[in-house]
Amino acid sequence: MTESFLRDKKFVEIQRLNSPSNQAKRRSLVVSDAAADEAVRTPASASAVASAAASRGNSPGVLLQQEPASAVDQRAIERHARQVKARCKVRYRNDRVISYFDDVDFEYRPSILDGSINEPFRMSFEGPTLEREIKLKEKEKRTLLRKEKFPGAVAEKSRDSEMPQTGDKSEETPQSDNDAASATSQSSGDSSTTYMHEHLVSDFSGLYVALWMAIGLGVARILVDNYIDDGGSALNGQIMRFLRKDLFKVAFVDLCMYLCMYVPFAVHWLCRKGLMRWNGAGWAVVSVFEFWFLLFFIYLPEHVLNFHWIAKIFLFLHSLVLLMKMHSFAFYNGYLWQILEEHDYSANALAKIKDSDEGTVSDDVRDTLQKSYDFCTFELGSQTRDKTQQFPNNINVCNFFMFTMFPTIVYQIEYPRTKSIRWLYVLEKVCAIFGTIFIMVLNAQIFMYPIAERALLIRDSEWTGLADRLMHWARILVDIIPSFIVMYLLVFYLIWDAILNCIAELTCFGDRYFYGDWWNCVTWDEFSRIWNIPVHKFLLRHVYHSSISAFNFNKGQATLFTFFLSSVIHELSMYVIFRRMRLYIFFFQMLQLPLVALGNTPAMKKRTIIGNVIFWIGICTGPSVLCSLYLTL
């Protein structure tokens, strides 16, 4: 009999509620929680919060039990308040709310080449203007000189020209000759002084045209020479064969990588439906998936499909882009799930505290909970102006698909968008893409590939001593530097200007600030920030700031961790290309930290020209040194 009662869940529940520790809960046997809370009206009543959380699929474990106010778990509320109070240090600054997403911003901005050169050239090019400006300045100067030498005559002429015409009834009082002379003399002195300090500015758009003409004629000459001397081998060389080989297999693998992006989306969709909690299994599933996604798509092209090095590095770099997109989407929404749970908990706690007849909770705890509620309300409501897309309604296929198409790797619910697509602009960028790839193929086939073959022969030859090997390495380095500089600049233009702007135009993406004026950098920390804006934004939010909030790193430790992670990824890219783990690029990347410290010393900050020269020496020699090291040593 006793065993049967112990197996009866209803009996066990009644026993638990009748225990001394649960004396205040006995009324729940006769009054339901919903009925007891129906009359409660606070900024966010407990019943309203519970029903809203249930409709969003939140687990009831994150909320306080729907009990009478006298049964509020004071210790749980105070523990929650302590956790929230620790977060308030980074949430408020001088009574101003600091959002977690204030570190990255998107605005309507053109790319630097479009905003500084292309658009002004197409819209306002007028030919030579410097000569006209000089003539205008000379005419103004002659007028001023006449006013200085003959003030009376100039004043008389001025009065004659200002006299009313026949039929004009308006009258003006002429200025005296002395006043006119003094005013003219004063203005002439000021104007001449201003003229002496003015700088005439010329438009260099013609040189921009000449640059592209020189590139086109240079490519034409290379093609003609190659056709005459080698029968057009450059167009049928090893590089072109690499590009054509396994083309459909590479495209299929790339499609599979793209479809894998929808796994984190599926996790958040399950969280939205209440079938999974992000703070439970959700973040763990996404983290494990991201790790194996990267390893799998490094292993597959190398050891299973045996792709050539161009296909491998393309798939590796694209897998990194997709991985960063997945991570940004997953942990942006994961953070908002945490904010939503905190919002519901704080709102429910405030409602229960208001219901409580006992003054068991201090004013400090109540104020902390109110701050938590206000911050979470702000954070959830400030992500978009579109009410239909506010979290968690943004977790839908359309929103995620558009994010996968946008030329950015940092997720947010909405971005600045243009109104229409400029198809002539798209055609221009498409031509730039294929034209740049064509020039890159010629440069690689004619100038770089023979040097690489020499380096591989040296590497595979019999060891003749370190001095002899270093001599061969130095010769290869000198030969490869010019072509590597050209390749470096072409790759930058291809990816960050041609491809990203083309995608941005097709998707109506408004923020085209994909790179800054990195060519003017004087320190390496400036270069690391502005040469690749999309990746910098990702590292800033999801590595630098996330390491501070998750691991309690200080700024120095977070900077070191960010550089370390970036160095590891760069070393992986070299492993994919050369199949050699030598850590050369890892050490070169980490070497930027002391160089940054050196560049920020007072002595170097004042010498910006020297800093820029040192920067360009590193840009011109660094990639070539690394390539020759991996090829020969």
Side-chain angles (χ1 to χ4, degrees), residues 198-213:
E198 281 184 348
H199 296 282
L200 296 172
V201 180
S202 177
D203 186 0
F204 291 92
S205 298
L207 293 180
Y208 179 62
V209 176
L211 173 66
W212 284 110
M213 289 293 293

Side-chain angles (χ1 to χ4, degrees), residues 73-120:
D73 189 343
Q74 180 181 351
R75 286 180 298 177
I77 291 179
E78 290 178 350
R79 183 168 58 250
H80 173 75
R82 285 195 299 270
Q83 295 173 352
V84 170
K85 193 170 185 178
R87 299 173 193 152
C88 287
K89 297 178 181 179
V90 296
R91 290 177 173 181
Y92 292 92
R93 188 176 303 158
N94 298 326
D95 295 329
R96 182 170 61 91
V97 178
I98 304 297
S99 172
Y100 179 79
F101 305 112
D102 285 347
D103 54 354
V104 172
D105 191 22
F106 292 90
E107 298 176 0
Y108 290 97
R109 291 176 287 199
S111 67
I112 289 183
L113 283 180
D114 286 338
S116 302
I117 300 178
N118 292 342
E119 296 295 337

Side-chain angles (χ1 to χ4, degrees), residues 484 488 618-628:
F484 220 110
Y488 186 90
I619 290 295
C620 292
T621 59
S624 303
V625 169
L626 288 169
C627 181
S628 57

Side-chain angles (χ1 to χ4, degrees), residues 37 44-56 58 60 63-64 66 344 348:
D37 292 327
S45 66
S47 59
V49 172
S51 61
S55 65
R56 288 188 294 259
N58 277 21
L63 300 175
L64 296 176
Q66 299 300 298
D344 292 345
N348 191 39

